[in-house]
Amino acid sequence: MFWRGVIGYLPVNVVQGVVGLLTIVAFTRLLTPAQFGDYALGISVMALVHTAVFTWNEAAMARFWAGESDRGGGADHSATIYRAWLLLLAVLPVAALITLALPMTASLKLAVLAGLATVAPRTFVKIAQERRRAAGEVKSAALLDMGQTLGGFLIGASLAMTGLGGAAPVAGMGLAALACLPFIISREHGHQAGGRVEAPRLRSHAAYGVPVALSLILALVLSTTDRFLLAAFLDESAVGVYHAGYSLANRSLDVVFIWLGAAGGPALIMALERGGRSALADAAREQAQLMLLLTVPAATGLALVAAPLAQLMIGPTLSSGAAHVTPWIALSGLLAGLTTYYFHQAFTLGRKTSLLLVAMAIPAAANVALNIILIPRFDLDGALWATPASYGLGLAASAYLGRRSVNLPVPWLTLAQAVGASALMALVVSAIPAFGGLLELTLKAAAGAVVYGAVIALVDAGSLRSRGQDALRTFRARSAA
């Protein structure tokens, strides 16, 4: 199931990567630094409300659908999930009234209100996506993801051209999700037809999902607090610079992690439900190897080409500052991705989500404290230093506490091979002169890919070369037949 998901979600990965880069290119030019800061804060509020109120319900759909559908309880499961979603929508108008009452600029208030309006359609689509992923319906889940991603960018960019400001990208996301609803409502209603809303089931969902949601809130605190503190201690332009560099690095890595996570999470659940702990260990080791071999060089490469990449992708008012931000966030993104998409799986697989809450509380508290201490003294650099330190602490806490739930293997040899190959890649890339712009970016990216790929193929890290040869032989045999 894992490799089917990896292949099936590859188009999603490509679309997300392209749109992620185009988002930075477009909105750092269509928006002023202050408006880009409004966008960053608006989307942060949207994410916080979504996570705080709705994510526990989505997590229950993802975790329990496979088992419930196998036992014939899919209709009751779906009915309970969607009725809970309807009740949770009552939070949104209350949040909007609070936003209207708060003292903030009109442009920021509009961005926040757009984010709140976006939550309703996006959460419905998210539930539908989680059910499809859990059921192994890769194609339909991928189409929903691509539709929202591409549609959100196109609509948001169009709105930005009308002068809507920082609210434009956020509103685009909401309108894209709204456009997806006619294609999924009928089928999702069919899955809950005849189902009953069961209070014990709802309590079970909450017991599992609420700690997940709280841990994700802490993850958002970890990833967004720096923006609010930069706005408080400095100004919204500083937030814009920080968010531009953060997005350039974090979105590039997130594309890979989300891709592997979309395929890997359901595969691990299936392995545990149908094959037990031994099957889970084999599946987890395979996933961890591929994740390390793809993300360690990606983070290293982002740090090496930060300057030419920022010159090419980010508007001139933000590019120099963003280039300074990107290497630090590349390291942070690597640590965060390994934590979220691998080590956190131990808590959900073992259904010990309260430990997940503890694991996230440690780095979240550290991040707030470090930002409060460092930003007033070192300005933007303070936030940059606080971020990887907090994520490193979070990875260590999650790896340690996760062993109390499910002991996921760590492929140390593969890690050493990825780090060693990346170090050799860095030596070669660093020797290339700084021409600037597209020429420097192209030469360094090509040289890095060739060196890293050659080393990994030579040592057959993670058995990738062997797997590729086996797949090629199978393909040739089928073609000959």
Side-chain angles (χ1 to χ4, degrees), residues 1-6 256-272 279-296 337-338 340-346 348-349 408-411 414-415 462 464 467:
M1 183 176 176
F2 172 60
W3 286 101
R4 180 161 61 90
V6 168
V256 182
F257 279 117
I258 292 172
W259 169 41
L260 297 176
L268 292 181
I269 293 173
M270 287 287 189
L272 179 61
L280 172 64
D282 292 339
R285 183 176 295 104
E286 183 179 50
Q287 290 188 29
Q289 288 175 333
L290 182 61
M291 191 173 289
L292 288 169
L293 290 172
L294 292 180
T295 58
V296 171
L338 293 173
T340 300
Y341 295 99
Y342 187 68
F343 289 108
H344 282 180
Q345 297 292 336
T348 56
L349 290 166
L408 295 178
V410 178
T414 304
L415 174 60
L464 285 186
R467 291 179 187 277

Side-chain angles (χ1 to χ4, degrees), residues 35 158-165 168:
Q35 289 173 335
S158 300
L159 292 174
M161 293 177 188
T162 68
L164 192 59

Side-chain angles (χ1 to χ4, degrees), residues 16-66:
Q16 287 182 341
V18 172
V19 171
L21 294 176
L22 288 176
T23 296
I24 298 169
V25 172
F27 293 125
T28 55
R29 288 168 170 81
L30 293 172
L31 305 177
T32 67
Q35 289 173 335
F36 200 76
D38 290 337
Y39 157 54
L41 295 171
I43 203 169
S44 295
V45 171
M46 180 194 76
L48 284 169
V49 172
H50 182 162
T51 304
V53 180
F54 295 91
T55 295
W56 68 271
N57 200 37
E58 299 160 1
M61 174 61 87
R63 180 61 182 88
F64 297 117
W65 173 260

